[in-house]
Amino acid sequence: MHEGIITPDWAVLAYLVAGTLFILALRGLSSPESSQKGNRNGMIGMAIAVGTTLVLHNTGLPLILAAIAIGGGIGYLIAQRIQMTAMPELVAGFHSLVGMAAVLVGAAAYLNPQAFGILDSVTNEIVPTSRVEMGLGVAIGAITFSGSVIAFLKLSGRMSGNPILLPGRHIINLGTIVAILGLVGYFVTDQSPWVFWTITALSFAIGFLLIIPIGGADMPVVISMLNSYSGWAAAAMGFTLQNTAMIITGALVGSSGAILSYIMCKAMNRSFISVIAGGFGADSGAGGAKGSGPAKAFKAGSAEDAAFIMQNAESVIIIPGYGMAVSQAQHALREMTDLLKKEGVSVKYAIHPVAGRMPGHMNVLLAEANVPYDEVFELEDINSEFAQADVAFVIGANDVTNPLAKTDKTSPIYGMPVLDVEKAKTVLFVKRSMGGVGYAGVDNPVFYMDNTMMLLADAKKMVETIVKALGH
């Protein structure tokens, strides 16, 4: 018979409290104002869940505590040293660790099922339900690991952010996924090692194959999607370990990540199925206007010009992008807006949902600089105001302000809702140089419009110079 593990009533109650705190954490993280409280709830819930698990399974406690101390120490050092610009690849890296943890737990349960209480004492085999849980957990974990590694390499610049399109990739991907699902089903009737390890190997491969065709423009969706995968992997392993807290936590992370992925796809006018199918809509021949074409005329300006224009404006809308993150210009930007507000200028921030390299990237940076939450607006709430704005101050954002998304069907960003900065009376566009293009590799016609002034310099240095000009 199945030698199941009976959880005491007090532990069930503790896990319930932890699960409730996790739900409150997610609710808190839905708003910048309540995010700190949400984080605290999440940390308290995780402390309760981990503490309860340690009490229930006190075998080898010194080794477990040592591992927690080592892992926590490494995490603390990384958190202290990491730059905000590297946060997206850090998140991808952490997702990979969650995936690998699921694979290792699944492998341990397969190799020693009795220790996990999933061995049928009559047949001396792993119980069929546990095989399904184990197979799915290992598969999702392996996909999460290899997919997250590719996302990390793309986001950190160690691999090209452009889509890598393999010949016949859709057939290969579909065939591999069908083979994995078929083997998981077959695993129920045959627990031979070749079945388990083939599932694992194919899952590592499909994670790689699914992510390499996805281009930089869709990377924020990939981050939230991998977050969802890591949650489902943890939930599946929770069933294998018969741990209620893991099941609850994994299901919450998985479902919230899936919802966020859907919201991101909707914000980018992407098909959710297309993205998770591995760049299904990508076309190697598409791309719109690139930065490598003939030189075009543009109007260059100085920090003093920008300071004069904004100082005499009634309303300024600031559009931050990845360039602001790279140069760490958010604190100087906050100082600039404070000076403008002293001059009686109305200042607002317009945030595109996929600005940066992960969901909420710009919100985190602005919060770090203590930008008031009531000055920050999402795309759908502020887009109609550009036509009445005196100045649109774009700092390091390209793709999310590119009007080709509305007109050029060959562009990789076609159909993505963008911020209508070109409708402002004056567009001040901070950009390092005219040679580069956005992460999607598409030139922006706003650069060359009559009402646009290009401010070519490092974003932080440019804003700091503007601050000095405003202070005189």
Side-chain angles (χ1 to χ4, degrees):
M1 298 297 291
H2 179 199
E3 299 175 0
I5 299 173
I6 299 175
T7 305
D9 291 342
W10 68 267
V12 174
L13 180 60
Y15 285 147
L16 179 62
V17 172
T20 303
L21 287 169
F22 293 147
I23 294 172
L24 293 175
L26 286 175
R27 181 177 180 179
L29 292 173
S30 64
S31 170
E33 291 92 338
S34 58
S35 60
Q36 289 186 344
K37 184 178 180 181
N39 270 320
R40 282 195 296 269
N41 286 332
M43 289 187 287
I44 294 170
M46 186 56 67
I48 293 173
V50 172
T52 302
T53 302
L54 291 178
V55 172
L56 286 176
H57 308 280
N58 56 13
T59 304
L61 194 58
L63 286 176
I64 294 173
L65 292 176
I68 291 175
I70 293 171
I74 294 173
Y76 176 80
L77 290 175
I78 291 175
Q80 289 293 315
R81 297 178 180 180
I82 195 71
Q83 296 292 324
M84 290 302 298
T85 51
M87 193 60 67
E89 55 258 41
L90 177 67
V91 171
F94 282 169
H95 286 160
S96 73
L97 297 179
V98 175
M100 180 54 73
V103 174
L104 294 176
V105 169
Y110 175 73
L111 295 173
N112 190 8
Q114 188 171 4
F116 288 78
I118 58 175
L119 190 69
D120 192 314
S121 58
V122 176
T123 62
N124 202 35
E125 293 183 340
I126 301 172
V127 295
T129 53
S130 294
R131 294 188 212 178
V132 174
E133 297 157 4
M134 188 187 305
L136 290 175
V138 168
I140 299 172
I143 291 170
T144 304
F145 173 78
S146 55
S148 297
V149 168
I150 297 302
F152 171 82
L153 294 175
K154 282 176 173 278
L155 289 166
S156 62
R158 292 172 173 86
M159 175 184 287
S160 172
N162 296 324
I164 301 174
L165 306 178
L166 301 177
R169 65 190 185 281
H170 302 314
I171 296 175
I172 295 172
N173 291 351
L174 182 61
T176 306
I177 292 172
V178 170
I180 292 170
L181 294 175
L183 286 169
V184 170
Y186 182 68
F187 190 50
V188 176
T189 60
D190 183 358
Q191 64 175 50
S192 298
W194 75 266
V195 181
F196 178 83
W197 297 115
T198 302
I199 291 171
T200 306
L202 288 177
S203 299
F204 278 126
I206 194 62
F208 171 81
L209 294 171
L210 285 174
I211 303 303
I212 59 169
I214 299 178
D218 290 329
M219 200 50 65
V221 180
V222 172
I223 293 294
S224 60
M225 180 181 69
L226 291 170
N227 177 57
S228 178
Y229 288 174
S230 67
W232 295 124
M237 286 300 104
F239 283 103
T240 299
L241 296 173
Q242 301 176 52
N243 187 292
T244 307
M246 279 190 69
I247 297 171
I248 294 173
T249 307
L252 286 172
V253 173
S255 56
S256 60
I259 293 170
L260 178 59
S261 298
Y262 173 78
I263 293 172
M264 299 292 286
C265 285
K266 188 176 180 181
M268 299 171 66
N269 196 31
R270 293 285 194 268
S271 163
F272 183 68
I273 299 298
S274 295
V275 174
I276 65 174
F280 183 81
D283 181 359
S284 58
K290 303 289 181 183
S292 58
K296 302 175 184 178
F298 64 92
K299 182 166 53 179
S302 65
E304 290 73 19
D305 296 329
F308 178 81
I309 292 171
M310 288 191 287
Q311 206 166 23
N312 289 279
E314 291 185 6
S315 61
V316 174
I317 300 177
I318 297 172
I319 303 90
Y322 188 64
M324 183 190 76
V326 171
S327 64
Q328 292 287 284
Q330 62 269 26
H331 296 283
L333 187 65
R334 165 67 194 274
E335 188 177 355
M336 184 189 83
T337 58
D338 286 345
L339 291 173
L340 289 174
K341 285 187 286 186
K342 286 181 181 179
E343 296 286 338
V345 181
S346 170
V347 178
K348 294 180 179 180
Y349 294 81
I351 306 297
H352 193 283
V354 296
R357 294 294 182 269
M358 71 178 195
H361 198 180
M362 296 301 106
N363 300 80
V364 171
L365 291 173
L366 295 179
E368 183 193 18
N370 295 315
V371 171
Y373 298 133
D374 58 0
E375 294 178 5
V376 181
F377 297 87
E378 301 296 329
L379 177 146
E380 61 271 13
D381 298 323
I382 201 170
N383 224 13
S384 61
E385 297 186 24
F386 281 104
Q388 290 79 43
D390 291 315
V391 178
F393 186 84
V394 186
I395 176 168
N398 185 13
D399 298 332
V400 299
T401 63
N402 196 327
L404 289 179
K406 297 177 283 188
T407 59
D408 186 358
K409 293 184 178 180
T410 68
S411 172
I413 61 172
Y414 177 71
M416 181 177 80
V418 293
L419 293 160
D420 297 330
V421 298
E422 74 278 6
K423 295 181 179 179
K425 294 176 183 176
T426 301
V427 180
L428 299 176
F429 215 116
V430 181
K431 196 173 184 293
R432 186 178 294 273
S433 70
M434 295 301 293
V437 291
Y439 203 40
V442 185
D443 200 10
N444 192 338
V446 173
F447 301 159
Y448 316 105
M449 294 177 63
D450 292 337
N451 63 330
T452 298
M453 179 180 290
M454 299 300 300
L455 305 174
L456 302 179
D458 173 81
K460 184 178 181 180
K461 292 180 180 178
M462 174 57 70
V463 176
E464 287 174 344
T465 308
I466 292 174
V467 168
K468 290 179 182 178
L470 288 171
H472 288 162

Short mmCIF file of all heavy atoms in Angstrom, two decimals, residues 15 49 71 140 235 271 307 319 321 379 443:
data_model
loop_
_atom_site.label_atom_id
_atom_site.label_comp_id
_atom_site.label_asym_id
_atom_site.label_seq_id
_atom_site.Cartn_x
_atom_site.Cartn_y
_atom_site.Cartn_z
N TYR A 15 0.30 25.87 7.70
CA TYR A 15 0.38 26.03 6.25
C TYR A 15 -0.77 26.89 5.73
O TYR A 15 -0.59 27.66 4.76
CB TYR A 15 0.36 24.66 5.57
CG TYR A 15 1.65 23.89 5.68
CD1 TYR A 15 1.65 22.49 5.76
CD2 TYR A 15 2.88 24.54 5.68
CE1 TYR A 15 2.84 21.76 5.84
CE2 TYR A 15 4.08 23.83 5.77
CZ TYR A 15 4.05 22.45 5.86
OH TYR A 15 5.22 21.75 5.94
N ALA A 49 6.09 28.75 6.78
CA ALA A 49 6.07 27.52 5.98
C ALA A 49 7.37 26.74 6.14
O ALA A 49 7.36 25.52 6.34
CB ALA A 49 5.83 27.87 4.51
N GLY A 71 22.88 29.33 1.33
CA GLY A 71 22.05 29.90 0.28
C GLY A 71 21.57 31.30 0.62
O GLY A 71 21.59 32.20 -0.23
N ILE A 140 8.31 20.28 -16.18
CA ILE A 140 8.14 21.73 -16.06
C ILE A 140 9.40 22.36 -15.47
O ILE A 140 9.85 23.43 -15.89
CB ILE A 140 6.91 22.06 -15.20
CG1 ILE A 140 5.65 21.51 -15.85
CG2 ILE A 140 6.77 23.57 -15.03
CD1 ILE A 140 4.41 21.62 -14.97
N ALA A 235 4.64 23.50 -7.47
CA ALA A 235 3.38 22.88 -7.06
C ALA A 235 3.40 21.37 -7.33
O ALA A 235 2.96 20.57 -6.49
CB ALA A 235 2.21 23.53 -7.80
N SER A 271 -0.17 37.40 -29.16
CA SER A 271 -0.93 36.21 -28.82
C SER A 271 -0.17 35.44 -27.75
O SER A 271 1.00 35.12 -27.92
CB SER A 271 -1.14 35.32 -30.06
OG SER A 271 -1.53 34.02 -29.68
N ALA A 307 16.36 72.63 -20.80
CA ALA A 307 15.98 73.29 -19.55
C ALA A 307 15.09 74.50 -19.83
O ALA A 307 14.07 74.70 -19.14
CB ALA A 307 17.23 73.72 -18.79
N ILE A 319 8.77 60.03 -20.01
CA ILE A 319 8.63 58.64 -20.43
C ILE A 319 9.97 57.93 -20.19
O ILE A 319 10.90 58.06 -20.97
CB ILE A 319 8.23 58.52 -21.92
CG1 ILE A 319 6.93 59.26 -22.19
CG2 ILE A 319 8.09 57.05 -22.31
CD1 ILE A 319 7.12 60.71 -22.59
N GLY A 321 12.65 54.73 -19.90
CA GLY A 321 12.86 53.45 -20.57
C GLY A 321 14.14 52.80 -20.08
O GLY A 321 14.75 53.23 -19.09
N LEU A 379 -0.05 53.46 -19.28
CA LEU A 379 -0.29 53.87 -20.66
C LEU A 379 -1.74 54.25 -20.92
O LEU A 379 -2.02 55.33 -21.46
CB LEU A 379 0.14 52.74 -21.61
CG LEU A 379 -0.09 52.95 -23.11
CD1 LEU A 379 1.04 52.28 -23.90
CD2 LEU A 379 -1.41 52.35 -23.57
N ASP A 443 14.29 51.29 -35.93
CA ASP A 443 14.50 52.73 -35.85
C ASP A 443 13.17 53.41 -35.52
O ASP A 443 12.10 52.90 -35.81
CB ASP A 443 15.06 53.24 -37.17
CG ASP A 443 15.75 54.59 -37.03
OD1 ASP A 443 15.95 55.03 -35.88
OD2 ASP A 443 16.06 55.21 -38.06
#
